[in-house]
Amino acid sequence: MSRDTTLAKVGEFKPIDLLAVAAAREVTDGDVVFAGTGLPMLAIGLAQLTTAPTAVCIYEAGSVDGRPISLPTSVGDARCIYQASVASGLFDVFNQLQRGVVDLAFLGGAEVDKYGNVNTTGMGKYGIVPEKRLTGSGGNSDINGLARKTVFIMVQEKRRFREKVDFVTSPGWRVPKWPSGEMVPKKEVYNKAFRGGPEAVISNMGVFRFDENGEMYLDTYHPGCTPQQILENCSFDLNISRVRGETKAPTLGELDLLYKTIDPEGIFLP
Amino acid sequence: MAKPVRMNLKEAVAQIPDGAMLTFSGFTIWRRPMAAVYEMIRQGKKNLHLVEVNGGTHSDLLIGAGCVKIWESCWIGHELFGKIGANLARRAEAGEVIIEDYSHVQILYRMAAGSMGLPYLPTYASMGTDMLNPAYDHLKIAGLRDGSNPKIPKKKYEIVSDPFYGGELLHMPAANPDWCIAHVQMVGEEGTVRVDGQLYSDSEAIKASDNVIIVAEQVVSEDYIRREPTRNLIAGHQVSCIVEQPWGAHPTGCFGCYETDGTFIQNFFKSTRTQEGLDAWVKEWIHDIPDYETYLERIGITRLEQLRANPAFGYSTTIKRGTR
């Protein structure tokens, strides 16, 4: 089936469309992908319909390689296991993760630091009486710790791209080693179980990657944004010297798949 | 263990004492024992200690209603229908509930170790995170790791050397809740449990617990459920009592039976951000209603039929879910 490969112009797509498309482009055909609720479901769905038809999707509630014909609203959804190879549970799929089966995972978070440490637990001072409680880690931290590559999808704001996150929920490239809490390279903590870490952060303004020292740099900026605007929405000293140019816009064919095939009901793409 | 006893919901829930350590079936907003949760609130349970692989609408409601003292888990929220567990957040920020944070695998392995009769399980999961920060070991800070409660381990975790292949990893202590309340699709008269769809962490939660209440959409004859033993998850000797309660997981979903009632959960989330809002909700949907049958009458047959799953798919094909 040939699809329209014309690039959409600024104004012809929403920021959320570009997030889904940019995330889908991170999937390599044949990857075993761990996906969470929301945008990750759009991204893996789009990848499977375009460049990665043999990618396998695992949902953490216990669904392996489902072929849903109706978009799930969460990973526990009955829709996840339509035409799945196996319907199991958390113990099976998390053990696969620990075993080293997972190539790529899509994750989210409330705030991120320059090493890719992500917080989904609490904002402000944390402790027995927290200042502002969020959802908690869920599988985010396990998946980020043990998958080969992870891709974060985040909202770009100064208060969310921080020098230091208030709580290290999910481990990036430099992490606290307990009991001392000294920040060390992730490899020192994970030993033999070290397989990789955050590959990219995709925000509504740009795509960020990590250098040899595990520090974040700007890779591409989205159409309609500038590196300067991104710097203004980041509170750490972001490296923009390696920027390659503009993020490739969604194609009209990709937009068509997202709105007509993957989310025709308008659940995540209203 | 003796054959499980058939009870009604009120009798089953009345067995759970204040202060009990409790866990549940399901995953976030799927297959939660909501009818039993409403009944616990109606009976005024206090100081419950929840240890659950993940939280959801059921635990946020129990916490909001003032039934819970300690919540040990990794996540709480209502998925698409409410981004955080606002009742847990409010009560924790007021110092009324103690949170002990784990990752999903860490808390799962605690339950799995409990289900295997082991004192702990090793894992690499979520090392190098603040879940292991001693400053956030809240049960220790509250003085609850002194050994006086046999259900609370003296340490949250231990980092140990791998004695066989080298390197370091975590040991997570077992959890053995006093009670598990599980909502499932089907149970036999002698307690054989059948779960359809994703199994979540039901097997680990049920087998780790000292006492198990099975609330089922249907109670069927043992002869019927034993015709296909490969479809069954738990044998009756690991079940304490069984309750029949159709639609008993509403507003959470139940694979093959009914959809999650997203509108209902969204309204719960929006109207219970404050304690006054939560109290009004609990009065309207729990205290002003004598039992679950009356609750279902209030939801109404039209809504329930919209939620009902199409047997070809295991989910509803008639419910409106998005904006188109």
Side-chain angles (χ1 to χ4, degrees):
Chain A
M1 194 170 76
S2 69
R3 274 181 216 97
D4 193 341
T5 53
T6 312
L7 294 180
K9 296 184 188 69
V10 173
E12 287 179 345
F13 61 91
K14 297 179 194 152
I16 192 171
D17 305 339
L18 182 53
L19 285 175
V21 169
R25 290 172 183 159
E26 298 292 325
V27 183
T28 303
D29 196 22
D31 275 355
V32 175
V33 181
F34 228 80
T37 292
L39 271 171
M41 291 174 162
L42 302 178
I44 182 64
L46 183 60
Q48 286 174 322
L49 288 172
T50 55
T51 55
T54 68
V56 167
C57 176
I58 296 180
Y59 290 127
E60 70 185 283
S63 134
V64 182
D65 201 14
R67 292 166 187 179
I69 49 170
S70 173
L71 186 65
T73 61
S74 63
V75 299
D77 197 319
R79 288 164 183 77
C80 294
I81 60 163
Y82 186 75
Q83 286 288 306
S85 57
V86 173
S88 58
L90 280 70
F91 200 61
D92 173 36
V93 295
F94 276 130
N95 289 346
Q96 291 192 34
L97 171 75
Q98 190 160 254
R99 178 75 175 83
V101 169
V102 176
D103 298 303
L104 175 68
F106 290 116
L107 301 165
E111 48 174 30
V112 63
D113 72 12
K114 67 176 170 183
Y115 296 113
N117 293 305
V118 167
N119 175 13
T120 66
T121 301
M123 305 290 265
K125 188 171 164 40
Y126 199 70
I128 193 164
V129 181
E131 197 172 323
K132 183 171 166 47
R133 171 74 195 186
L134 304 174
T135 55
S137 72
N140 196 317
S141 51
D142 305 314
I143 297 162
N144 202 21
L146 295 168
R148 273 183 193 80
K149 294 192 289 190
T150 57
V151 172
F152 280 88
I153 303 171
M154 308 250 321
V155 176
Q156 179 99 39
E157 284 178 34
K158 208 174 174 71
R159 65 185 183 99
R160 292 176 183 274
F161 279 63
R162 301 187 55 187
E163 184 70 37
K164 195 172 181 301
V165 292
D166 288 328
F167 188 106
V168 178
T169 310
S170 198
W173 292 106
R174 283 185 79 86
V175 299
K177 183 175 170 71
W178 300 108
S180 73
E182 181 198 353
M183 296 298 279
V184 300
K186 180 186 174 189
K187 198 171 183 177
E188 268 185 42
V189 172
Y190 275 75
N191 313 289
K192 294 193 305 282
F194 175 81
R195 303 187 182 108
E199 170 79 10
V201 175
I202 303 174
S203 83
N204 47 309
M205 299 183 80
V207 177
F208 307 83
R209 297 190 189 273
F210 294 85
D211 67 17
E212 306 68 31
N213 299 316
E215 291 188 35
M216 195 190 292
Y217 66 89
L218 179 64
D219 184 36
T220 60
Y221 49 92
H222 295 342
C225 296
T226 65
Q228 190 54 39
Q229 282 175 320
I230 291 170
L231 280 179
E232 285 161 14
N233 283 282
C234 179
S235 48
F236 58 83
D237 187 18
L238 177 71
N239 176 4
I240 59 167
S241 69
R242 295 170 71 152
V243 69
R244 289 190 296 128
E246 226 175 53
T247 313
K248 188 183 165 197
T251 66
L252 297 180
E254 286 167 332
L255 291 174
D256 196 60
L257 283 173
L258 280 175
Y259 281 84
K260 293 192 181 143
T261 305
I262 296 168
D263 189 9
E265 293 169 78
I267 294 165
F268 298 115
L269 297 173
Chain B
M1 254 187 248
K3 195 173 137 181
V5 188
R6 178 94 176 250
M7 292 183 179
N8 67 36
L9 194 61
K10 285 181 193 297
E11 292 165 344
V13 167
Q15 302 171 97
I16 300 169
D18 286 348
M21 180 186 275
L22 193 56
T23 197
F24 308 98
S25 64
F27 187 94
T28 67
I29 53 169
W30 288 90
R31 221 159 34 67
R32 298 304 198 174
M34 295 302 296
V37 165
Y38 293 144
E39 186 56 31
M40 278 193 279
I41 294 170
R42 201 174 280 121
Q43 292 185 12
K45 303 292 182 198
K46 292 283 174 230
N47 297 319
L48 296 174
H49 179 163
L50 306 189
V51 175
E52 52 177 355
V53 173
N54 53 70
T57 307
H58 65 298
S59 37
D60 194 52
L61 171 60
L62 260 183
I63 291 164
C67 303
V68 176
K69 185 67 202 165
I70 300 168
W71 180 75
E72 296 192 71
S73 190
C74 76
W75 187 93
I76 195 167
H78 314 272
E79 301 281 12
L80 185 60
F81 311 114
K83 61 183 179 176
I84 62 163
N87 287 286
L88 173 67
R90 183 179 64 252
R91 292 235 183 232
E93 289 158 17
E96 294 163 356
V97 171
I98 299 171
I99 295 173
E100 191 69 74
D101 288 293
Y102 301 88
S103 77
H104 222 156
V105 171
Q106 289 170 355
I107 188 78
L108 173 68
Y109 272 39
R110 290 200 59 198
M111 207 66 85
S115 77
M116 295 174 189
L118 291 173
Y120 54 83
L121 271 178
T123 179
Y124 292 107
S126 293
M127 296 190 300
T129 70
D130 271 336
M131 269 80 78
L132 308 181
N133 185 338
Y136 306 140
D137 182 350
H138 297 153
L139 290 181
K140 182 168 187 193
I141 289 164
L144 295 167
R145 293 205 189 277
D146 60 359
S148 60
N149 182 341
K151 296 283 182 184
I152 299 178
K154 289 182 183 171
K155 289 179 176 176
K156 181 171 176 177
Y157 67 90
E158 185 84 328
I159 296 171
V160 291
S161 303
D162 171 350
F164 304 106
Y165 301 101
E168 282 186 340
L169 76 176
L170 285 174
H171 279 182
M172 298 307 299
N176 288 109
D178 296 309
W179 290 86
C180 175
I181 312 178
H183 187 93
V184 303
Q185 286 90 353
M186 191 179 281
V187 66
E189 285 167 336
E190 293 173 24
T192 302
V193 175
R194 176 170 298 174
V195 174
D196 278 336
Q198 297 187 87
L199 304 173
Y200 310 132
S201 43
D202 285 20
S203 177
E204 291 77 25
I206 290 170
K207 291 173 181 171
S209 298
D210 296 339
N211 302 281
V212 176
I213 297 172
I214 297 292
V215 185
E217 290 292 319
Q218 287 182 302
V219 178
V220 299
S221 72
E222 277 293 312
D223 168 71
Y224 176 78
I225 209 164
R226 285 167 185 252
R227 284 177 213 165
E228 296 175 276
T230 53
R231 293 180 63 191
N232 300 336
L233 186 69
I234 302 284
H237 65 261
Q238 290 194 294
V239 173
S240 318
C241 65
I242 59 180
V243 176
E244 187 172 55
Q245 184 56 69
W247 298 95
H250 179 277
T252 68
C254 185
F255 179 91
C257 297
Y258 45 90
E259 191 73 39
T260 298
D261 191 341
T263 310
F264 190 92
I265 293 178
Q266 214 158 33
N267 288 337
F268 167 80
F269 177 69
K270 285 179 187 161
S271 59
T272 65
R273 301 296 294 261
T274 63
Q275 192 60 46
E276 296 71 34
L278 185 280
D279 291 343
W281 195 96
V282 165
K283 181 176 185 301
E284 180 185 356
W285 287 100
I286 300 175
H287 289 309
D288 283 354
I289 289 179
D291 51 35
Y292 203 68
E293 279 60 40
T294 316
Y295 169 88
L296 291 176
E297 281 169 22
R298 194 179 278 194
I299 300 295
I301 187 74
T302 308
R303 180 61 179 165
L304 294 178
E305 283 302 329
Q306 286 168 352
L307 297 169
R308 188 188 291 282
N310 180 318
F313 302 105
Y315 52 84
S316 166
T317 50
T318 56
I319 195 159
K320 182 169 165 57
R321 299 191 303 150
T323 57
R324 283 190 288 277

